[in-house]
């Protein structure tokens, strides 16, 4: 594959066949990346080479996203948090630093709020908060009367156009194909269940945020057409001791500005690895 990332593997977690990549690096901290939507773990191909010098890298296609199996019950932030805990245990990752952009952000925050000993630190961004402030197609998906509206979509046209800025078909055809094929055959419609659960799930998360004691770095993209910067500011204001970085990018910051994104992660992981664990639970 054209992507500069470790070949993928699969593992059975909670009865689901899960795709992941593992650098296998022995030295340094473990950094776990969760796939954004509608991409896959190959979203991190551009940051993988430089961050592999920082520690062991693991990237996972979350259930129902990328090329991992899914089922409706796991497609909410709180149940996805439970999955993340199981995945970490299954792979023996210890207490990794979790980098969770986009749909992974809310799941990671649920995990930090409910199971703080499961992870060492968090980098989250491109995800939403309460009050729900989203725009464009994301707002339309959340507001739609049901998932049936997405069953008949021309995935190769719609998702293909969505991911084109992140993985141009003419330059990275295999990555583009990986993204698009991940959501064919009804998988995109099913994956919308996750963001459509936000109106019920995010108020629960809101109440957990002030109790989070895991070190959290929030990033927000100034030109994100789907998730306004206000979401990042909201999280940073309510999570004790968190930091906020606003980057000049669109929604796919991890692919648009990979050098800067990798630097943010490397700096945060290095600093968080030396911080003493915070008490408060």
């Amino acid at each position: 594959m054209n992507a500069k990332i470790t070949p993928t593997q699969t593992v059975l977690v909670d009865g689901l066949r899960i795709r992941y990549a593992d650098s296998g690096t022995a030295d340094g901290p473990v950094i776990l990346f969760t796939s954004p939507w509608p991409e896959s773990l190959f979203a991190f191909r551009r940051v993988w080479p430089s961050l592999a010098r920082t520690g062991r890298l693991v990237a996972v296609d979350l259930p129902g996203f990328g090329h991992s199996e899914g089922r409706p019950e796991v497609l909410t932030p709180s149940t996805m948090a439970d999955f993340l805990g199981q995945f970490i245990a299954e792979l023996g990752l210890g207490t990794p630093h979790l980098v969770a952009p986009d749909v992974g952000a809310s799941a990671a925050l649920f995990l930090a709020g409910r199971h703080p000993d499961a992870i060492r630190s968090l980098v989250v961004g491109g995800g939403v908060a309460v009050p729900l402030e989203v725009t464009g197609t994301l707002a339309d998906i959340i507001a739609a009367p049901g998932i049936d509206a997405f069953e008949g979509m021309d995935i190769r046209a719609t998702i293909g156009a969505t991911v084109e800025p992140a993985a141009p078909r003419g330059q990275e055809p295999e990555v583009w194909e990986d993204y698009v094929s991940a959501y064919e055959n009804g998988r995109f419609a099913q994956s919308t269940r996750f963001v459509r659960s936000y109106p019920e799930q995010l108020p629960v998360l809101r109440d957990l945020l002030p109790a989070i004691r895991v070190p959290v770095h929030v990033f927000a993209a100034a030109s994100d057409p789907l998730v306004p910067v206000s979401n990042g500011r909201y999280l940073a204001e309510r999570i004790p001791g968190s930091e906020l970085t606003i980057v000049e990018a669109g929604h796919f910051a991890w692919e648009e500005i990979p050098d800067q994104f990798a630097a943010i992660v490397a700096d945060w992981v290095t600093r968080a690895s030396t911080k003493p664990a915070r008490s408060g639970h």
Side-chain angles (χ1 to χ4, degrees):
M1 180 168 281
N2 190 35
K4 297 178 181 178
I5 200 167
T6 304
T8 61
Q9 308 173 57
T10 59
V11 63
L12 199 65
V13 180
D14 194 22
L16 298 171
R17 184 62 59 183
I18 302 300
R19 186 177 77 160
Y20 72 101
D22 186 347
S23 72
T25 309
D27 297 329
V30 178
I31 307 172
L32 173 59
F33 297 85
T34 64
S35 59
W37 180 60
E39 300 156 276
S40 73
L41 58 81
F42 285 105
F44 305 110
R45 68 198 179 281
R46 294 174 184 162
V47 302
W48 197 267
S50 61
L51 285 175
R53 297 191 292 268
T54 301
R56 176 184 174 188
L57 307 185
V58 179
V60 61
D61 279 344
L62 295 171
F65 297 97
H67 288 273
S68 287
E69 292 179 344
R71 57 173 176 262
E73 312 90 80
V74 80
L75 286 168
T76 72
S78 60
T79 54
M80 192 68 79
D82 295 336
F83 163 81
L84 280 172
Q86 293 176 354
F87 180 81
I88 290 168
E90 181 66 32
L91 265 66
L93 301 181
T95 52
H97 299 267
L98 188 53
V99 179
D102 193 64
V103 290
S106 53
L109 290 168
F110 262 109
L111 182 63
R114 291 178 171 174
H115 304 286
D117 294 336
I119 48 179
R120 188 68 185 85
S121 78
L122 284 181
V123 176
V124 296
V128 301
V130 172
L132 193 61
E133 292 186 12
V134 293
T135 54
T137 55
L138 180 56
D140 296 339
I141 290 170
I142 294 172
I147 69 169
D148 293 348
F150 310 109
E151 291 283 359
M153 285 178 55
D154 182 345
I155 296 300
R156 301 193 73 77
T158 56
I159 301 303
T162 299
V163 301
E164 178 69 21
R169 189 177 188 180
Q171 298 173 27
E172 297 181 290
E174 291 176 313
V175 177
W176 186 93
E177 181 65 29
D178 189 81
Y179 291 171
V180 173
S181 62
Y183 298 99
E184 292 183 308
N185 302 314
R187 282 176 56 86
F188 179 78
Q190 291 297 318
S191 70
T192 65
R193 293 180 185 274
F194 190 90
V195 297
R196 288 173 53 75
S197 75
Y198 283 170
E200 295 76 34
Q201 289 269 300
L202 294 182
V204 180
L205 179 58
R206 172 194 60 205
D207 296 339
L208 285 175
L209 296 178
I212 289 177
R213 293 297 180 268
V214 174
V216 179
H217 190 116
V218 181
F219 71 88
S223 301
D224 192 326
L226 304 174
V227 181
V229 170
S230 57
N231 291 275
R233 290 198 177 103
Y234 179 96
L235 293 174
E237 288 169 0
R238 285 159 180 78
I239 300 172
S242 61
E243 295 184 16
L244 171 66
T245 298
I246 298 175
V247 297
E248 290 299 328
H251 185 67
F252 302 106
W254 41 94
E255 296 185 78
E256 295 172 25
I257 51 169
D259 292 345
Q260 184 179 353
F261 190 83
I264 289 170
V265 172
D267 174 70
W268 182 249
V269 167
T270 300
R271 288 193 287 133
S273 294
T274 61
K275 289 181 179 180
R278 299 175 62 200
S279 61
H281 285 274

